[in-house]
Amino acid sequence: MRAMGFEDARHFLSRTGFGGTPAEIRQLASKSRAQAVVEAIDGLKLQPHTKPPEWVHKPLPPRRKLKMLMGDKKAVQMLLRTRAIDLKTWWLDEMVQTPSALTERLTLFWHNHFVTSMQKVRRPVFLYQQNRMLREHAAGNFRDFVHAVSKDAAMILYLDTQQNRRKSPNENFARELMELFTLGEGAGYTERDIKEAARAFTGWSTQKLTGEFKFRRFQHDSGSKTVLGTTGDLSGGDVIEIILKRREFGPMIVEKLWAEFITTPIPTEQRRKLVNGFRRDFEIRPLVSAILSSKEFWADANRGTRVKSPVEFVVGLVRVLGLRLENPKLMVKACRDLGQDVFSPPNVKGWKQGPAWIDASSLLRRQLIASRVRQLDSTAADDPAAWLGVPTAQVRSECARVLLPSPPVQTDSANLGQYELGELLLDPVFQLA
Amino acid sequence: MKRREFLQLSSLAGLTLLAPGTMWAMEKTHGRTLVLVELKGGNDGLNTVVPFEDPTYKRLRPNLALSKSEVIRLDKGPYLNATLNPLRPLWDEGHLAVVEGVGYPNPNRSHFRSIEIWETASDSNEYLHDGWLSSALPDGVGPLPGAMIAGAGEDGPLRGVSALTVESPQQLFRHGQRLRRVDVKTENPALAHVIQTQNDLVGSIASIQERVGPSKSPNGDFTKSSLGRGLQMTAQMLGAGVPLTVVKVQLSGFDTHAQQPKKHSRLLTDVGQNLAAFAKSLQTYGRWNEVVVATYSEFGRRVKENAGRGTDHGTAAPLFVLGGTVKGGVFGETPSLTDLDAGDLKFTTDYRRVYATLSKRWLGGESLGHQPLSFL
């Protein structure tokens, strides 16, 4: 097996994670591409690597009692706000600490697919539970995944399923299930299918305190429904099965996952193959594996062509440079300022990926953050030569090779050391993965 | 600013300064500027525009009701908190509109949620992300000089417009120094996008510096608060010919649950003094006819005072709109102090009607599905 070399290793680590440290890149460089893919996939984790905030294991008393205990509504709001920030900090820190960056990238991918937001759900613990659910299924079976999502407390609250009652059906979840989660907009279903599907999910609700799924039998419409041509006393679960058997199912997920890793479009033949495989067994793991093994993934046309998301940018800075943050909450603020407040996507469609991440305001903010990084303690700043693992004379060229996917466009790299590191972080090329 | 002048501005700096979209957008808004003033925390409307002659006011506010010496009567108009006296000349000139009872159905009394509703122009139970200006502004407005957050604060109504936060002209110029123009051709579309964004930014900042750098800060009686600094900077930039389209400034501290009188009068003094100073400097620059200023706050406060000489979160409140082309007067109906909803005022003017007016009659945008008012 042929060693892939430095450039390939750098590319792989930045696209499947948040970028590699010089040591990580060098270590991977001696392996083959195939080996890199296998190890990344085998390394996927079902459990988080770091400990979540203590409070996730202790359900809060009901809202009214809580208000009584804490004195007033404001105190309760403060508590929930603090917990929300705790949770965001925990996840971003998990992304920094984890040995499996791909797990986090996939979890974030699904967070942006099966979207829910703290803004509406308001109960941080439900978003924690959902995060655990997302990571368990992130590379699992998509069919199980959709069933789990449909019973997830945060989702039930976010898409108003708890208000979906026999006498007043709410179509929100049924609509997004077809439009955004599985088939794609208008792909082989009608408004009538949405209305009928909504009836099947009536009575689906959640335990307000624990977040456990609750089926309220008397709110459920057990009459006959017709969804996508199938008639019967369909349950919500039946509807999911019907949807996943449609011939329209597959392409949207395959294309979206492809675009997460590869910026060039998926070739038709490749698309057909991957969709067919995915439709057969709904397995996400082999799909990810195939995408990362494709020649398009490794092609020159797919190098340095992705605009880093704010999370990739911020977590990447911390991971790659070995930043020692006194207060990891700073990451939450940085990501929010740059437009990606984790656990609070803007709407049910999630964050817009790609070049949209960079506009005048966010570019200026990225530059500000990058320029402040110079003043922080980091492994990279302690001793650049040791960090890079090269003699001092090579620091200049090596630094650019680690930090940038292609040569700098604005850096006149005449000087050595930390100053230059800072310059590279301000280069437009640093915005890319 | 006319297109011709604008092009001159561009050529002055000797660079391609602004994206074509921005230029077009300036034509769309006819060189007009909207300045939004957020009174953060929930301004007590009843002690701002005062129902002085209503006995219920004194009955429900035995400690907080303003006395005769603490109010002023506008000529053929309402009573204002006397600290707003600097606004009187604007009223007399017919440049100050008071919009009464502004609020929305099913009011939410959480700061966080209610300001979100105000910022996104949503219904009470509707969750939107982008600020209302993102759909009210003609396409292509922003980031700079299109949209600016002057001083500090969240982008709020400007979310989605890519507004720049500018603490001071000097700070902006420092940013400008850090950013370099990049002259590299690339086939990589992502890189091209970043470079283009950066070069546009460098160009905008350079053109602003070209104009504002040699100019003097306006003299006016601005305070050192975030509002004072924000308005002073905005006046300076407008005076120097920077074609700002929308500016947001803010003043915090309006959440007066306890010991309200001193705090509130200090805040309103700041508001009155800075708005008057702003109007005055723009009049000096001859630009007052091209500017509209509107205040807003997430909610008003409870009619009945609380036990701590303060007021709790309420609902509807009045707001101010001022500018050289604003039609002065009182708009909307003063809410009743006796016909309350759980102790709070019932709104009489949907806040989106104010937005509709600003959008349609000032910025040349859509009316957001609401009927504009006649202050413009």
Side-chain angles (χ1 to χ4, degrees):
Chain A
M1 276 197 284
R2 201 160 63 94
M4 72 177 111
F6 191 92
E7 300 305 323
D8 278 10
R10 190 202 175 281
H11 173 62
F12 187 80
L13 289 170
S14 73
R15 282 297 173 89
T16 60
F18 306 94
T21 63
E24 285 169 336
I25 298 173
R26 269 200 311 276
Q27 204 212 354
L28 190 65
S30 62
K31 297 174 180 165
S32 72
R33 289 174 176 180
Q35 231 173 328
V37 176
V38 169
E39 284 180 15
I41 298 278
D42 287 350
L44 288 169
K45 289 160 65 76
L46 299 175
Q47 313 284 334
H49 178 71
T50 59
K51 260 173 87 166
E54 282 296 324
W55 51 258
V56 302
H57 306 296
K58 298 179 208 130
L60 283 176
R63 205 48 86 87
R64 208 171 306 146
K65 192 161 168 215
L66 192 60
K67 212 162 107 185
M68 239 165 57
L69 285 171
M70 302 200 57
D72 63 353
K73 218 165 100 183
K74 206 163 188 181
V76 176
Q77 278 170 2
M78 277 303 292
L79 175 77
L80 294 177
R81 213 139 203 229
T82 312
R83 289 190 168 190
I85 294 172
D86 271 4
L87 192 65
K88 292 171 184 187
T89 309
W90 165 73
W91 192 12
L92 290 172
D93 191 52
E94 169 74 16
M95 296 183 201
V96 171
Q97 308 288 344
T98 182
S100 171
L102 181 58
T103 301
E104 302 311 312
R105 283 289 298 270
L106 285 173
T107 307
L108 187 56
F109 172 83
W110 292 117
H111 173 45
N112 200 36
H113 181 75
F114 296 116
V115 170
T116 61
S117 164
M118 192 84 77
Q119 194 196 24
K120 183 160 177 187
V121 176
R122 297 277 153 138
R123 294 169 182 79
V125 72
F126 291 176
L127 282 142
Y128 168 73
Q129 290 166 359
Q130 183 186 63
N131 184 270
R132 294 294 303 264
M133 183 271 288
L134 293 176
R135 54 183 68 238
E136 272 160 35
H137 291 89
N141 184 284
F142 187 78
R143 185 170 144 192
D144 297 343
F145 204 169
V146 179
H147 283 288
V149 165
S150 71
K151 295 183 172 173
D152 175 71
M155 183 58 79
I156 282 174
L157 293 171
Y158 186 66
L159 290 183
D160 306 311
T161 314
Q162 93 285 8
Q163 280 158 32
N164 187 13
R165 305 189 183 106
R166 185 163 54 90
K167 287 193 175 144
S168 55
N170 185 306
E171 297 164 15
N172 210 356
F173 177 73
R175 178 180 306 279
E176 304 311 0
L177 175 64
M178 294 188 213
E179 177 179 329
L180 296 175
F181 299 164
T182 57
L183 299 175
E185 194 183 346
Y189 63 89
T190 64
E191 284 297 309
R192 183 159 174 79
D193 290 315
I194 291 172
K195 281 203 165 60
E196 293 283 286
R199 291 175 57 212
F201 286 101
T202 46
W204 286 41
S205 188
T206 183
Q207 270 288 348
K208 279 241 165 67
L209 299 184
T210 61
E212 269 170 273
F213 177 70
K214 194 166 104 187
F215 180 65
R216 294 185 297 181
R217 191 150 38 98
F218 299 108
Q219 300 293 356
H220 181 70
D221 179 346
S222 53
S224 174
K225 312 148 187 104
T226 302
V227 177
L228 297 163
T230 304
T231 304
D233 166 16
L234 304 173
S235 69
D238 295 335
V239 167
I240 291 172
E241 292 297 317
I242 291 168
I243 290 172
L244 295 183
K245 284 197 187 79
R246 298 289 290 181
R247 64 186 165 79
E248 287 85 0
F249 172 74
M252 183 181 67
I253 304 292
V254 168
E255 281 167 17
K256 202 168 171 180
L257 206 50
W258 177 277
E260 177 66 17
F261 298 105
I262 303 172
T263 55
T264 49
I266 184 168
T268 319
E269 181 51 26
Q270 177 77 288
R271 179 175 178 272
R272 198 187 54 79
K273 220 176 75 192
L274 293 182
V275 168
N276 284 347
F278 188 53
R279 285 173 51 84
R280 221 173 4 254
D281 57 14
F282 304 104
E283 289 295 331
I284 300 165
R285 186 177 297 252
L287 179 58
V288 174
S289 176
I291 290 170
L292 299 182
S293 309
S294 71
K295 74 172 191 297
E296 289 79 12
F297 176 84
W298 296 97
D300 281 349
N302 186 40
R303 308 254 175 147
T305 46
R306 174 184 166 90
V307 171
K308 288 176 191 165
S309 71
V311 168
E312 287 168 66
F313 179 80
V314 172
V315 172
L317 277 171
V318 179
R319 264 188 90 117
V320 173
L321 302 177
L323 284 187
R324 291 184 286 273
L325 294 179
E326 262 172 53
N327 185 356
K329 276 191 195 120
L330 284 174
M331 290 193 287
V332 177
K333 186 175 161 16
C335 289
R336 194 190 54 209
D337 286 350
L338 298 179
Q340 194 175 25
D341 193 8
V342 289
F343 290 117
S344 298
N347 53 50
V348 67
K349 285 190 176 155
W351 294 288
K352 266 188 221 144
Q353 304 274 5
W357 284 124
I358 300 266
D359 61 23
S361 164
S362 63
L363 181 62
L364 202 54
R365 287 189 162 145
R366 284 186 184 212
Q367 303 286 41
L368 262 178
I369 291 169
S371 66
R372 280 177 193 150
V373 159
R374 279 191 229 185
Q375 293 138 25
L376 297 174
D377 281 345
S378 69
T379 319
D382 289 347
D383 183 348
W387 172 63
L388 293 161
V390 295
T392 311
Q394 285 168 37
V395 163
R396 190 178 62 193
S397 53
E398 190 68 6
C399 204
R401 226 155 67 101
V402 167
L403 292 175
L404 308 180
S406 58
V409 293
Q410 78 170 24
T411 310
D412 173 23
S413 42
N415 311 312
L416 292 181
Q418 199 188 347
Y419 176 71
E420 186 195 71
L421 174 82
E423 281 290 289
L424 291 172
L425 301 180
L426 299 179
D427 198 287
V429 178
F430 185 69
Q431 305 305 331
L432 308 174
Chain B
M1 180 183 287
K2 293 193 187 79
R3 182 184 168 89
R4 189 169 46 79
E5 291 167 331
F6 187 73
L7 290 173
Q8 279 170 354
L9 161 58
S10 306
S11 62
L12 269 177
L15 292 164
T16 314
L17 291 174
L18 295 160
T22 317
M23 246 184 264
W24 176 80
M26 279 310 298
E27 283 188 327
K28 282 282 199 183
T29 55
H30 311 291
R32 289 167 169 179
T33 305
L34 172 64
V35 179
L36 293 172
V37 178
E38 180 184 358
L39 308 179
K40 205 171 163 66
N43 178 37
D44 182 19
L46 291 173
N47 277 15
T48 303
V49 178
V50 189
F52 188 70
E53 286 166 1
D54 190 330
T56 315
Y57 170 64
K58 290 184 184 74
R59 186 165 57 75
L60 292 175
R61 295 190 161 192
N63 295 299
L64 294 192
L66 298 173
S67 68
K68 184 84 195 175
S69 65
E70 292 166 323
V71 296
I72 53 164
R73 177 89 196 249
L74 295 177
D75 186 28
K76 298 190 191 84
Y79 288 90
L80 295 189
N81 190 312
T83 55
L84 294 171
N85 196 43
L87 297 182
R88 194 201 286 269
L90 289 164
W91 173 271
D92 293 338
E93 289 156 31
H95 293 168
L96 173 65
V98 176
V99 188
E100 283 278 36
V102 188
Y104 55 91
N106 305 312
N108 192 302
R109 289 167 184 80
S110 143
H111 291 289
F112 177 68
R113 178 59 193 147
S114 193
I115 194 61
E116 195 170 271
I117 290 167
W118 272 84
E119 287 170 350
T120 59
S122 72
D123 288 334
S124 180
N125 60 357
E126 185 184 16
Y127 292 80
L128 301 177
H129 184 258
D130 283 346
W132 67 275
L133 282 161
S134 73
S135 46
L137 284 174
D139 285 347
V141 169
L144 200 68
M148 174 173 85
I149 298 150
E154 303 279 318
D155 46 5
L158 284 164
R159 188 177 295 172
V161 187
S162 181
L164 280 192
T165 303
V166 181
E167 284 160 28
S168 69
Q170 288 67 35
Q171 178 241 23
L172 182 69
F173 304 155
R174 275 201 302 278
H175 284 326
Q177 280 169 1
R178 189 178 302 122
L179 291 171
R180 268 184 254 153
R181 218 189 137 72
V182 176
D183 290 305
V184 171
K185 294 262 177 295
T186 172
E187 301 282 300
N188 177 345
L191 181 56
H193 171 73
V194 179
I195 291 176
Q196 176 72 46
T197 306
Q198 177 158 327
N199 286 346
D200 287 350
L201 196 53
V202 171
S204 299
I205 296 177
S207 88
I208 290 169
Q209 186 160 14
E210 190 86 19
R211 288 255 151 165
V212 176
S215 77
K216 275 207 209 97
S217 193
N219 292 326
D221 203 6
F222 294 98
T223 70
K224 294 284 169 220
S225 69
S226 65
L227 178 64
R229 283 182 290 115
L231 286 177
Q232 188 168 23
M233 168 171 62
T234 306
Q236 184 181 4
M237 291 170 85
L238 288 170
V242 177
L244 299 168
T245 306
V246 195
V247 179
K248 181 190 167 246
V249 287
Q250 78 170 34
L251 184 64
S252 306
F254 286 88
D255 196 17
T256 48
H257 285 282
Q259 304 306 330
Q260 173 172 311
K262 213 171 149 193
K263 286 181 202 160
H264 197 236
S265 86
R266 183 175 47 79
L267 290 164
L268 288 188
T269 303
D270 202 75
V271 171
Q273 188 177 331
N274 287 309
L275 289 180
F278 183 70
K280 207 166 172 186
S281 20
L282 286 165
Q283 281 162 348
T284 313
Y285 295 134
R287 297 221 36 167
W288 184 230
N289 284 347
E290 284 127 54
V291 177
V292 165
V293 183
T295 69
Y296 68 100
S297 192
E298 61 263 53
F299 38 61
R301 307 193 75 81
R302 192 72 37 86
V303 180
K304 192 174 183 324
E305 67 183 38
N306 65 25
R309 285 170 61 80
T311 49
D312 297 319
H313 300 181
T315 51
L319 57 74
F320 296 118
V321 185
L322 44 156
T325 49
V326 167
K327 196 175 138 210
V330 175
F331 298 81
E333 213 179 303
T334 311
S336 160
L337 294 188
T338 46
D339 178 22
L340 300 177
D341 174 12
D344 282 320
L345 301 174
K346 291 182 177 167
F347 82 99
T348 55
T349 309
D350 193 299
Y351 73 111
R352 286 161 293 196
R353 294 192 64 192
V354 177
Y355 292 173
T357 323
L358 299 173
S359 171
K360 192 155 178 144
R361 304 228 168 116
W362 191 244
L363 299 171
E366 298 298 316
S367 64
L368 307 150
H370 287 262
Q371 183 67 31
L373 297 158
S374 49
F375 59 76
L376 276 172

